[in-house]
Amino acid sequence: MEILFLPDNVTVEAESGEPILEVAERAGVTIPTGCLMGSCHACEVEIDGGQTICACITAVPPGRKKMTINLSVDMDW
């Protein structure tokens, strides 16, 4: 799967089931983290222009060819 990280405009290949934080790190993209359990929401990102998820507890979903991850969801962090 091809993942595009915004606003950095960085594209990287990823495998289904791979943790999103690992994909971002491999791409040289920094996603802020806190608790690493999804409780603090420091790692919230928006996928495909809609759904907001916690990147620390989310893996690359199966059955897709492309995905966009927008890191600029909550400017308060």
Side-chain angles (χ1 to χ4, degrees):
M1 165 190 295
E2 182 180 279
I3 297 181
L4 170 64
F5 287 98
L6 298 176
D8 301 72
N9 211 28
V10 173
T11 302
V12 65
E13 289 293 321
E15 296 294 323
S16 173
E18 192 173 3
I20 288 179
L21 286 182
E22 289 181 15
V23 175
E25 183 178 331
R26 190 174 68 248
V29 174
T30 301
I31 297 177
T33 59
C35 67
L36 296 176
M37 296 183 300
S39 298
C40 73
H41 297 270
C43 65
E44 275 191 354
V45 296
E46 183 180 85
I47 57 172
D48 295 323
Q51 182 183 8
T52 302
I53 54 104
C54 290
C56 72
I57 58 170
T58 306
V60 175
R64 299 174 63 182
K65 298 208 185 279
K66 292 185 178 186
M67 184 166 78
T68 300
I69 299 177
N70 187 348
L71 309 178
S72 299
V73 176
D74 187 356
M75 299 310 289
D76 292 335
W77 282 102

